[in-house]
């Protein structure tokens, strides 16, 4: 029987293939239409022949070969029907959304039917378990919202197919990050997610800010990648392994300093992806310069993907649960301390910087840094919680689940908030808080949604952000890190100031006389749909929080 | 028992008025009758479903169902659920019936009088009915509290319906604040009960035992499964909890000293007064005590306090009713007084008696208010009884129904009020005679007050009847009153019939004296044989009262039981008739009665000013609370706000520094990033001993 474990990676495959398909559709032009059609038809027939004659080649089996053949046939059909020369905007956006929604559906279905047994497709370097599916759900839902919203946002721009393809390929990378089980797959997946992101930030080619942000993002990213790769090589040098469990087994008392440097540098590489201080410098610039849907994408999905790596690498490779001693052995270096420092510095700096911003998008960018700080607590608080190993494990699962849940809710509320900014940019409202005054009256529905996002981000009930913060902070306290939770609560209180400042601007402030009156000419369907969907999920989180957090706790239980 | 159709559709009893609230709110302006039709249809539907549920309950079924768990915390799950047993089924019927009649009556009182803002009025009525029905159905104390509050909110809205005038908004605020004062204690009580028992359920389910049952177990078998606080033993702690919850009851049911809001609440439209006094707001308090009677029955101290409060309030309010000029004011004080009787009964061990009086009072008090409303329509909204007189012949329907209600209120045989008030007094008397020690003495004291109040009740009721309907008309308006239509008369007739005959459901004296077995239907009804509610039956309450609280009924103090019954009934009937007779002598005999109140001298001033209750409460507010609040405010402004502002200022200053790090120059970023990494490496290296 053919090996079907690769099917568990279906969400990633779906995203990646859709990306390629989008490019394919875009490549059908007047002169290329004929050759493409002929080639794909021939290819389809050829593969069909392989399926019949040599089904076992490459281990795909007859089913696999037939699938490839049918796909090629479908591509042939597409080539016939696609109108060449036109932009095919709807088709491309529709395909991308369908791919993202399909990936979301598959990931969610897998997650809720997951039997608790991790699967290793393609060997030990990849793993599909509760956590990877959980994050695949986050990434796919953010991707779906972003593709829907982008339909309006990039309507006037060229290279749309490339845009969608890059989004989908980056999403593929992020989904793979969730499944990476070896330092080398981590690195590859991370690059797969990063490289399209650099291009996407710079997508608005005519816009100086966008290009500049893309370049800065790329430079800081390259530096961080180098740090990360160097760290990986040090870990490899000390342990002789890259696979996470193997690393854990191979850690010895020797090479303390070398291994320790490697671990800290791995933290650095991950901190770049999660936009944690001091690796965050790219974030405010990139989020502000990028097209707003891309800011949403990066600050929600990419951040979540960064964290899933952190969760997996540090719990699998650099943590040993010693049942006998009743404690966690932190391996390599005292990375828990590193995360404690990072958590405090990141949330404080992010929130303090957000307070003084007068541009809304930049405020959101810093708030995103602040939220990374909160989630960092789930690693920072790992070592505490009770005297016995069981108690520690339980507390650890709880705090990890808190981080995951916050990322889950954040995936909706933060994406929604940035998409509202996308809407404002679409209307050419302006950038500062003052520019947003009076928007509540002009666009009440979208403003209500934005109010929901702001209050949810601040952590006010009855929105999802309250529940996830409550779970995360509570779990931190439960782990014995009262001081850390206290810092987070003070930060959260500070954040209420700048979030409500925007709400105040939207609904209550008088528009200054020197501002031109708002003119809202249209209601872009895609943007509205995405924003309202995000708001509904953020609010409805009360109803579904239970089952989702159960999934998160189970996912965390598999790690510890 | 699941599967009963009446229970499966029971949530609709509550949902219908809520729907009418939404409909009237959204579409009221576009509807004929401005939303009244929606309200009438909804309350009629609720009434039919409630009756259906009542019939099913009478057949021996009860029902409890969790509807929605809104906090699934493992130790203390909080939920909404419905619970239908005889008590709640009976109350559902009463509430939906009165609500329906009030809606119909409002057609005459509001629509025909050309009031504006009717959609608001009808939507608020719908919300009010919804809140009360949900409160009645609640299967746990927390849910009850929520809807208790919603009831309070709705009465605030409705009392202040004419918010452009001076009086109503102020009366509404007063009602809201005074009841809120009581509810404050109630809320602490709810939290205390949840913390103590881990549940606030009234009724045990498969997973959880009800808190009265837990309390009983704790007291009878020694405290297990409960947590007491502040070092109190179980009994003392439970008594504290009981008293805290009682705070809410005293506020809502307008018992001394929190009764002051109720007379002012007459500023609201009269149909609203009927609803508030007969079936919703004020009834909520007494209903709550009956609902958790299994808990109160364990606490003799609290019971004695309830009985004394009730007896005192009954007398105290009745005296004030004697001197009032306005018809609705008289009724207001009579409401306070009658709820005092119910509290008296509950405190005196008469669970069924209290429920019975709650029911009959709902009928006759709604009747009297609607009758007063009819008179007020006729008198062009003049409420002063001294401007009326002689309305008897000009509005016979109103007169005869009002008379039936008055006879019931005064407690004249055979009207409904006689039977229930008699049973209240009888129960308190026999328990007072039978129980030993202070309990007995306190009950007898409460009984004495209740008994004296009967005299006053008879007097003020018939003073009102004579002044309003008898004699010569004293003004032009009274000579030629405005006629009222069917929508006023129909509710009056329905309620008049009920006020006359409702007593038959529980003619205990007849049973006891004549020995006819089985006509104490209400007793049997409140003693259901259903597994779900074994701890919620009148019989069980009686046992608990006896075993735990030391309540003993001694029915043979005057010889045999029939003699005791006859003595008790004779006393209250005799006093009531004496009151009526006095009223007749002073106000009924002459066609042009004079004011006799001046003969009371200083007492008149005292009664007219309501014992200066308002004055001292205002002093409490302005003389005591206000300075305290100022101190708190100074603390808040100076210290709390100071800290908060400090944090704010620090973050703003800090923020502007942080902002400067972000220079926009990418080489700076690279440098800072690298420095940060080195710093991290150094910290980890030093603490990890790499350099050692």
């Amino acid at each position: 029987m053919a090996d079907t474990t690769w099917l568990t990676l279906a969400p990633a495959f779906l995203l990646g293939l859709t990306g390629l398909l989008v490019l394919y559709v875009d490549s059908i032009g007047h002169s290329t239409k004929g050759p493409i059609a002929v080639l794909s038809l021939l290819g389809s027939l050829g593969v069909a022949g392989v399926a019949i004659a040599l089904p076992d080649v490459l281990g795909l089996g007859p089913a696999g070969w037939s699938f490839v053949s049918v796909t090629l046939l479908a591509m042939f059909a597409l080539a016939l029907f696609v109108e060449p020369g036109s932009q095919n905007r709807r088709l491309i956006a529709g395909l991308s959304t369908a791919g993202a929604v399909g990936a979301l559906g598959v990931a969610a279905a897998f997650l809720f039917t997951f039997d608790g047994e991790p699967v290793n497709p393609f060997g030990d370097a990849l793993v599909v378990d509760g956590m990877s599916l959980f994050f695949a759900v986050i990434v796919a839902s953010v991707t779906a919202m972003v593709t829907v919203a982008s339909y309006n946002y990039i309507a006037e721009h060229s290279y749309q197919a490339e845009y969608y393809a890059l989004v989908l390929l980056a999403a593929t990378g992020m989904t793979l990050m969730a499944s990476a089980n070896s330092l080398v797959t981590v690195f590859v997946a991370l690059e797969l997610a990063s490289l399209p992101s650099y291009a996407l930030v710079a997508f608005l080619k005519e816009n100086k800010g966008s290009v500049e942000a893309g370049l800065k993002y790329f430079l800081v990213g390259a530096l961080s990648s180098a740090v990360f790769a160097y760290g990986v090589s040090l870990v490899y040098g000390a342990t002789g392994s890259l696979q996470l469990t193997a690393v854990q087994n191979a850690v010895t008392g020797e090479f303390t300093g070398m291994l320790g440097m490697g671990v800290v540098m791995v933290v650095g590489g991950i901190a770049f992806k999660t936009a944690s201080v001091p690796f965050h410098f790219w974030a405010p610039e990139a989020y502000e310069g990028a097209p707003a849907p891309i800011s949403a994408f990066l600050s929600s999905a990419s951040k979540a993907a960064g964290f899933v790596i952190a969760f997996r690498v540090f719990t699998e490779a650099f943590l040993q649960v010693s049942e006998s001693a009743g404690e966690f052995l932190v391996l390599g270096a005292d990375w828990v301390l590193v995360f404690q420092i990072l958590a405090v510095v990141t949330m404080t700096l992010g929130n303090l910087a957000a307070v003084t911003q007068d541009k809304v998008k930049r405020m959101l960018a810093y708030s995103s840094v602040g939220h990374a700080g909160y989630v960092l607590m789930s690693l920072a608080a790992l070592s505490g919680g009770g005297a016995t190993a069981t108690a520690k494990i339980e507390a650890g699962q709880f705090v990890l689940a808190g981080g995951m849940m916050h990322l889950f809710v954040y995936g909706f509320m933060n994406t929604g908030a940035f998409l509202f900014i996308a809407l404002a940019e679409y209307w050419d409202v302006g950038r500062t808080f003052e520019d947003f005054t009076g928007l509540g009256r002009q666009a009440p529905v979208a403003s209500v949604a934005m109010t929901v996002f702001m209050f949810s981000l601040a952590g006010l009930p009855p929105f999802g952000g309250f529940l996830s913060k409550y779970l995360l902070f509570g779990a931190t306290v439960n782990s014995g890190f009262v001081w850390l939770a206290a810092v987070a609560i003070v930060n959260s209180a500070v954040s209420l100031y700048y979030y409500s400042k925007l709400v105040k601007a939207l609904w209550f402030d008088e528009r200054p006389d020197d501002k031109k009156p708002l003119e809202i000419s249209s209601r872009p369907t895609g943007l509205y749909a995405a924003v309202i969907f995000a708001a509904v999920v953020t609010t409805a989180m009360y109803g579904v929080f239970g089952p989702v957090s159960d999934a998160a706790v189970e996912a965390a239980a598999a790690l510890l | 028992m699941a599967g009963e159709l009446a229970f499966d559709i029971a949530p609709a009893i509550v949902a219908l008025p809520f729907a009418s609230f939404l409909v009237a709110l959204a579409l009221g302006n576009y509807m004929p009758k401005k939303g009244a039709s929606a309200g009438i249809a909804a309350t009629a539907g609720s009434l039919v479903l409630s009756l259906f549920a009542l019939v099913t309950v009478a057949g021996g079924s009860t029902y409890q169902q969790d509807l929605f768990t809104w906090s699934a915390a493992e130790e203390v799950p909080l939920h909404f659920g419905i619970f239908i047993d005889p008590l709640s089924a009976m109350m559902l019927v009463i509430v939906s019936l009165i609500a329906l009649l009030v809606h119909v009556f409002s057609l005459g009182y509001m629509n025909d009088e050309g009031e504006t803002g009717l959609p608001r009025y009808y939507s608020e009525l719908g919300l009010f009915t919804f809140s009360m029905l949900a409160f009645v159905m609640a299967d746990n104390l927390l849910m009850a509290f929520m809807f208790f509050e919603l009831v309070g909110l709705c009465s605030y809205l409705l009392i202040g319906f004419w918010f452009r005038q001076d009086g109503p908004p102020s009366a509404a605020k007063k009602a809201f604040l005074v009841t809120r004062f009581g509810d404050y204690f109630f809320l602490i009580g709810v939290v205390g009960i949840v913390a103590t028992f881990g549940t606030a359920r009234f009724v045990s389910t498969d997973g959880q035992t009800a808190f009265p049952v837990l309390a009983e177990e704790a007291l009878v078998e020694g405290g297990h499964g409960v947590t007491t606080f502040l070092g109190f033993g179980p009994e003392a702690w439970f008594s504290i909890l009981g008293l805290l919850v009682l705070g809410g009851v005293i506020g809502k049911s307008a018992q001394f000293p929190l009764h002051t809001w109720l007379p002012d609440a007459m500023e609201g439209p009269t149909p609203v007064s009927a609803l508030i006094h007969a079936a919703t707001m004020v009834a909520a308090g007494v209903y709550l005590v009956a609902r958790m009677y299994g808990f109160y029955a364990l606490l003799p101290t609290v019971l004695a306090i309830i009985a004394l409060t009730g007896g005192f309030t009954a007398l105290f309010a009745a005296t004030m009713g004697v001197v009032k000029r306005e018809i609705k004011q008289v009724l207001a004080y009579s409401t306070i007084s009658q709820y005092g009787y119910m509290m008296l009964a509950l405190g005196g061990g008469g669970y069924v008696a209290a429920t019975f009086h709650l029911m009959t009072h709902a009928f006759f008090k709604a009747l009297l208010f609607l009758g007063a409303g009819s008179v007020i329509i006729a008198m062009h909204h003049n409420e002063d009884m001294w401007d009326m007189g002689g309305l008897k012949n000009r509005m016979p329907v109103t007169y005869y129904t009002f008379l039936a209600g008055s006879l019931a209120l005064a407690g004249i045989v055979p009207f409904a009020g006689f039977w229930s008030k008699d049973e209240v007094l009888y129960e308190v008397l026999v328990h007072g005679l039978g129980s030993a020690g202070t309990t007995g003495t306190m009950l007898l004291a409460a009984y004495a007050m209740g008994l004296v109040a009967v005299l006053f009740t008879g007097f003020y009721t018939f003073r009102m009847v004579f002044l309003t309907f008898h004699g010569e008309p004293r003004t032009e308006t009274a000579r030629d009153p405005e006629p009222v239509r069917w929508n006023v008369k129909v509710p009056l007739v329905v309620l008049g019939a009920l006020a006359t005959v409702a007593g038959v459901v529980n003619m205990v004296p007849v049973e006891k004296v004549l020995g006819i077995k089985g006509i104490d239907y209400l007793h049997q009804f409140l003693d259901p044989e259903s597994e779900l509610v074994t701890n919620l039956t009148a019989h069980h309450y009686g046992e608990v009262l006896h075993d735990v609280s030391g309540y003993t009924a001694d029915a043979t103090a005057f010889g045999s039981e029939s003699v005791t019954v006859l003595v008790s009934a004779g006393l209250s009937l005799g006093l009531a008739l004496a009151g009526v007779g006095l009223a007749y002598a002073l106000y009924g005999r002459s066609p042009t009665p004079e004011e006799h109140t001046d003969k009371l001298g200083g007492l008149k001033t005292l009664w007219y000013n309501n014992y200066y209750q308002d004055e001292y409460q205002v002093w409490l507010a302005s003389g005591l609370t206000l300075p305290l609040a100022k101190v708190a405010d100074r603390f808040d402004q100076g210290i709390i706000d100071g800290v908060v502002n400090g944090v704010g200022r620090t973050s703003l200053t800090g923020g502007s520094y942080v902002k400067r790090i972000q220079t926009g120059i990418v080489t700076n970023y690279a440098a800072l990033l690298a420095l940060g990494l080195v710093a991290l490496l150094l910290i980890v290296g030093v603490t990890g001993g790499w350099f050692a």
Side-chain angles (χ1 to χ4, degrees):
Chain A
M1 200 182 133
D3 183 17
T4 54
T5 47
W6 63 274
L7 271 175
T8 52
L9 283 174
F13 283 127
L14 260 172
L15 289 166
L17 287 176
T18 315
L20 295 178
L21 193 61
V22 165
L23 286 180
Y24 169 76
V25 168
D26 190 55
S27 65
I28 301 169
H30 282 293
S31 52
T32 53
K33 183 170 177 167
I36 284 179
V38 172
L39 276 178
S40 48
L41 182 61
L42 288 179
S44 168
L45 294 175
V47 173
V50 174
I52 296 160
L54 305 161
D56 294 328
V57 175
L58 293 178
L60 274 183
W65 283 112
S66 315
F67 178 72
V68 175
S69 166
V70 171
T71 313
L72 283 166
L73 197 64
M75 288 167 67
F76 166 68
L78 257 181
L80 284 189
F81 290 112
V82 168
E83 181 85 6
S86 73
Q87 280 255 331
N88 294 312
R89 274 177 28 76
R90 270 162 202 270
L91 179 63
I92 289 170
L95 267 178
S96 313
T97 309
V101 171
L104 170 62
V106 172
F110 281 180
L111 179 61
F112 284 101
T113 55
F114 185 62
D115 58 4
E117 275 306 303
V119 178
N120 291 101
F122 308 118
D124 283 349
L126 289 171
V127 65
V128 175
D129 60 3
M131 186 169 76
S132 59
L133 291 171
F134 189 85
F135 279 85
V137 168
I138 300 180
V139 170
S141 33
V142 173
T143 311
M145 285 184 276
V146 167
T147 50
V148 170
S150 299
Y151 178 69
N152 301 118
Y153 190 87
I154 60 163
E156 307 297 321
H157 296 277
S158 42
Y159 301 109
Q160 298 197 0
E162 287 78 356
Y163 174 92
Y164 285 111
L166 287 171
V167 167
L168 288 164
L169 291 173
T172 314
M174 294 168 194
T175 319
L176 281 176
M177 281 160 84
S179 283
N181 200 29
S182 142
L183 288 171
V184 76
T185 38
V186 166
F187 185 74
V188 172
L190 208 141
E191 289 304 305
L192 178 55
S194 295
L195 292 171
S197 309
Y198 304 142
L200 282 169
V201 170
F203 178 74
L204 304 173
K205 289 193 344 173
E206 315 292 321
N207 181 322
K208 269 189 190 167
S210 173
V211 175
E212 186 187 324
L215 186 62
K216 283 180 182 167
Y217 184 24
F218 173 67
L219 288 172
V220 176
L223 180 62
S224 302
S225 283
V227 169
F228 185 74
Y230 193 22
V232 170
S233 74
L234 288 175
V235 171
Y236 181 72
T239 63
S241 307
L242 287 167
Q243 206 275 333
L244 299 179
T245 337
V247 169
Q248 186 204 35
N249 292 333
V251 172
T252 56
E254 288 176 90
F255 311 115
T256 335
M258 186 165 127
L259 179 62
M261 276 183 71
V263 171
V264 175
M265 290 175 116
V266 167
V267 175
I270 291 170
F272 159 73
K273 208 65 197 156
T274 59
S276 304
V277 178
F279 297 84
H280 73 289
F281 289 106
W282 61 273
E285 317 255 327
Y287 294 167
E288 197 192 355
I294 296 305
S295 313
F297 185 56
L298 294 183
S299 59
S300 305
S302 183
K303 189 185 299 282
F307 273 110
V308 69
I309 288 184
F311 291 162
R312 195 181 300 282
V313 167
F314 287 98
T315 56
E316 295 278 303
F318 302 117
L319 187 73
Q320 204 162 29
V321 182
S322 164
E323 297 275 354
S324 52
E327 60 182 6
F328 288 162
L329 298 179
V330 175
L331 306 180
D334 193 357
W335 51 264
V336 171
L337 174 70
V338 176
F339 279 116
Q340 283 164 7
I341 298 170
L342 286 188
V344 171
V345 176
T346 304
M347 66 176 92
T348 311
L349 199 130
N351 281 307
L352 285 188
V355 165
T356 45
Q357 300 304 324
D358 41 35
K359 291 181 190 147
V360 179
K361 203 173 175 186
R362 208 168 169 91
M363 176 275 279
L364 278 178
Y366 277 109
S367 110
S368 175
V369 174
H371 280 273
Y374 303 141
V375 181
L376 281 170
M377 292 200 302
S378 48
L379 285 161
L382 255 189
S383 60
T388 63
T390 333
K392 282 202 160 131
I393 291 174
E394 261 182 26
Q397 287 169 359
F398 201 28
V399 79
L400 276 178
M404 291 186 206
M405 278 316 290
H406 194 58
L407 286 170
F408 183 84
V409 178
Y410 189 71
F412 290 95
M413 58 190 181
N414 181 61
T415 307
F418 270 110
L419 291 183
F420 178 84
I421 303 297
L423 199 54
E425 287 178 359
Y426 180 87
W427 285 325
D428 209 8
V429 165
R431 294 176 158 266
T432 63
F433 281 88
E434 281 189 347
D435 291 320
F436 281 70
T437 45
L439 206 54
R441 231 159 293 156
Q442 299 277 328
V445 175
S447 299
V448 165
M450 188 60 171
T451 310
V452 168
F453 301 139
M454 289 298 107
F455 285 157
S456 183
L457 283 166
L460 298 186
F463 305 110
F466 164 72
L467 288 176
S468 59
K469 266 193 189 173
Y470 183 73
L471 181 63
L472 178 58
F473 293 5
T476 308
V477 171
N478 185 38
S479 293
F481 285 87
V482 180
W483 64 270
L484 194 54
V487 173
I489 287 169
V490 170
N491 267 294
S492 214
V494 171
S495 77
L496 182 59
Y497 168 76
Y498 56 79
Y499 289 132
S500 46
K501 203 165 89 174
L502 182 60
V503 173
K504 185 163 154 279
L506 284 177
W507 297 103
F508 304 114
D509 285 351
E510 284 297 314
R511 200 168 173 78
D513 294 333
D514 55 332
K515 292 282 172 199
K516 66 176 169 41
L518 285 171
E519 276 177 41
I520 288 172
S521 44
S522 62
R523 315 257 165 204
T525 329
L527 275 166
Y528 258 86
V531 167
I532 290 169
F533 174 75
V536 168
V537 176
T538 306
T539 318
M541 203 53 83
Y542 254 75
V544 299
F545 197 81
V548 179
S549 61
D550 286 348
V553 172
E554 262 172 49
L559 296 178
L560 291 176
Chain B
M1 230 178 290
E4 296 272 10
L5 178 65
F7 295 145
D8 291 340
I9 55 178
I13 299 176
V14 176
L16 282 171
F18 189 70
S20 91
F21 155 66
L22 295 177
V23 168
L25 193 67
L27 307 170
N29 264 326
Y30 310 103
M31 293 170 70
K33 311 279 183 209
K34 305 284 182 194
S37 36
I40 290 172
T43 43
S46 293
L47 177 60
V48 171
L49 295 176
S50 304
L51 283 169
F52 188 17
L54 183 78
V55 171
T56 315
V57 167
S61 316
T62 47
Y63 180 67
Q64 188 279 333
Q65 180 68 47
D66 286 11
L67 288 184
F68 177 61
T69 302
W70 49 272
S71 166
E74 264 172 47
E75 285 166 18
V76 191
L78 306 174
H79 74 286
F80 288 132
I82 60 175
F83 174 43
I84 299 181
D85 72 334
L87 180 66
S88 55
M90 186 193 93
M91 197 66 195
L92 286 177
V93 172
I94 295 173
V95 175
S96 47
L97 173 69
I98 306 282
L100 171 64
L101 295 175
V102 163
H103 272 89
V104 173
F105 187 88
S106 297
L107 287 175
Y109 196 86
M110 305 295 284
N111 292 48
D112 292 354
E113 300 282 287
E115 296 288 348
T116 52
L118 288 173
R120 180 163 58 86
Y121 175 78
Y122 284 110
S123 63
E124 284 167 6
L125 275 189
L127 188 65
F128 203 0
T129 315
F130 155 74
S131 317
M132 186 63 193
L133 289 170
F135 166 76
V136 169
M137 269 198 197
D139 78 335
N140 66 80
L141 191 60
L142 185 60
M143 175 180 170
F145 174 76
M146 291 174 171
F147 286 100
F148 201 71
E149 291 304 293
L150 210 50
V151 167
L153 170 72
C154 293
S155 60
Y156 163 79
L157 292 171
L158 282 166
I159 293 169
F161 177 72
W162 286 307
F163 61 88
R164 287 183 213 285
Q165 300 167 17
D166 288 339
S170 146
K173 267 184 274 182
K174 185 170 173 186
F176 196 69
L177 289 175
V178 173
T179 55
R180 198 61 3 122
F181 184 72
D183 292 347
Y184 175 71
F185 297 102
F186 184 11
L187 177 59
I188 302 176
V190 174
V191 175
I193 282 177
V194 172
T196 307
F197 301 105
T199 178
R201 284 180 190 272
F202 294 132
V203 55
S204 304
T205 57
D206 296 337
Q208 270 186 321
T209 317
F211 74 87
V213 180
L214 287 171
E216 190 183 332
E217 282 171 6
L219 288 183
V220 177
E221 297 157 24
H224 62 83
V226 298
T227 330
T228 58
F229 295 88
L230 306 175
F232 287 104
E235 192 180 347
W237 176 245
F238 294 169
S239 299
I240 292 172
L241 292 177
L243 288 174
L244 284 169
V245 175
L246 194 64
V249 172
I250 286 179
K252 276 280 191 302
S253 279
Q255 298 296 292
F256 176 81
L258 298 182
H259 63 277
T260 45
W261 65 270
L262 192 137
D264 291 41
M266 293 301 119
E267 294 283 356
T270 308
V272 171
S273 304
L275 194 57
I276 289 181
H277 289 236
T280 52
M281 173 101 170
V282 192
V286 169
Y287 178 81
L288 183 67
V289 176
R291 180 75 286 171
M292 48 189 281
Y293 201 61
F295 186 66
Y296 280 113
L298 299 164
L299 311 166
T301 326
V302 182
L303 282 178
I305 292 174
I306 294 178
L308 279 176
T309 313
F312 180 70
T313 309
L315 177 60
F316 180 71
T319 55
M320 290 185 276
V322 166
V323 297
K324 297 293 177 245
R325 296 178 65 95
E326 277 131 15
I327 184 164
K328 280 176 77 180
Q329 286 294 318
V330 178
L331 289 175
Y333 284 98
S334 95
T335 301
I336 302 175
S337 172
Q338 294 300 309
Y339 279 95
Y341 278 111
M342 293 174 217
M343 296 292 277
L344 173 63
L346 288 165
Y351 166 70
V352 179
T355 317
F356 187 28
H357 199 53
L358 182 62
M359 179 186 84
T360 57
H361 175 261
F363 296 145
F364 67 71
K365 187 49 62 70
L367 167 63
L368 288 172
F369 265 110
L370 295 186
S374 170
V375 168
I376 291 167
I377 298 175
M379 294 294 298
H380 298 287
H381 293 265
N382 183 348
E383 296 180 15
D384 192 336
M385 294 189 294
W386 287 103
D387 292 341
M388 299 176 188
L391 292 172
K392 181 172 127 185
N393 303 323
R394 289 163 184 85
M395 31 197 336
V397 176
T398 306
Y399 171 65
Y400 286 107
T401 50
F402 197 88
L403 187 62
S406 301
L407 287 165
L409 173 60
I412 307 297
V413 74
F415 291 87
F418 166 76
W419 303 102
S420 55
K421 193 186 287 182
D422 178 63
E423 189 171 352
V424 168
L425 290 171
Y426 172 77
E427 289 286 340
V428 182
L429 177 63
V430 294
H431 283 110
L433 290 173
S435 306
T438 17
T439 309
T441 323
M442 293 201 351
L443 286 186
L444 284 178
Y447 169 77
M449 290 192 281
L451 194 64
V452 176
V454 171
L455 175 73
F456 285 96
T457 310
F459 177 76
Y460 70 66
T461 310
F462 275 84
R463 173 176 173 267
M464 172 175 73
V465 172
F466 292 133
L467 285 180
T468 310
F469 292 102
H470 290 250
E472 294 293 321
R474 285 181 291 276
T475 54
E476 272 310 307
T477 341
R479 236 178 295 284
D480 181 26
E482 188 181 319
V484 291
R485 299 204 311 143
W486 65 270
N487 45 29
V488 169
K489 289 175 187 162
V490 169
L492 288 178
V493 171
V494 173
L495 288 168
L498 284 169
T500 311
V501 303
V504 297
V505 302
N506 203 30
M507 294 202 287
V508 179
V510 177
E511 180 186 24
K512 284 187 177 156
V513 174
L514 300 182
I516 310 167
K517 287 287 164 212
I519 54 168
D520 54 342
Y521 302 110
L522 192 66
H523 274 270
Q524 296 165 22
F525 180 65
L526 289 172
D527 236 349
E529 287 175 19
S530 167
E531 213 165 289
L532 182 65
V533 295
T534 41
N535 289 308
L536 293 164
T537 60
H539 182 70
H540 178 78
Y541 294 154
E543 281 177 356
V544 172
L545 278 172
H546 184 268
D547 298 345
V548 182
S549 294
Y551 269 45
T552 313
D554 179 8
T556 52
F558 301 102
S560 73
E561 193 179 18
S562 352
V563 177
T564 316
V565 169
L566 285 176
V567 166
S568 165
L571 262 177
S572 63
L573 186 60
L575 280 170
L577 285 173
V580 176
L582 187 62
Y584 178 72
L586 292 179
Y587 297 102
R589 207 159 34 186
S590 146
T592 48
E594 295 162 19
E595 290 195 49
H596 296 282
T597 39
D598 286 339
K599 293 176 192 157
L600 291 166
L603 213 48
K604 182 212 166 183
T605 329
L606 185 65
W607 286 354
Y608 208 81
N609 288 305
N610 310 323
Y611 295 97
Y612 299 101
Q613 289 286 304
D614 281 317
E615 282 70 11
Y616 98 77
Q617 284 179 0
V618 166
W619 178 83
L620 274 183
S622 59
L624 195 68
T625 317
L626 194 63
L628 262 177
K630 277 193 177 140
V631 174
D633 182 54
R634 208 159 297 143
F635 178 77
D636 190 50
Q637 297 271 332
I639 300 183
I640 307 282
D641 281 13
V643 171
V644 172
N645 291 339
V647 171
R649 253 194 310 276
T650 321
S651 35
L652 281 174
T653 339
S656 55
Y657 280 109
V658 170
K659 219 165 144 183
R660 262 177 250 168
I661 308 175
Q662 197 85 18
T663 53
I665 298 163
V666 78
T667 43
N668 290 0
Y669 298 167
L672 282 168
L673 191 156
L675 282 175
L677 181 68
V678 169
L680 279 178
L681 281 169
L682 278 175
I683 293 170
V684 175
V686 169
T687 57
W690 299 348
F691 312 111

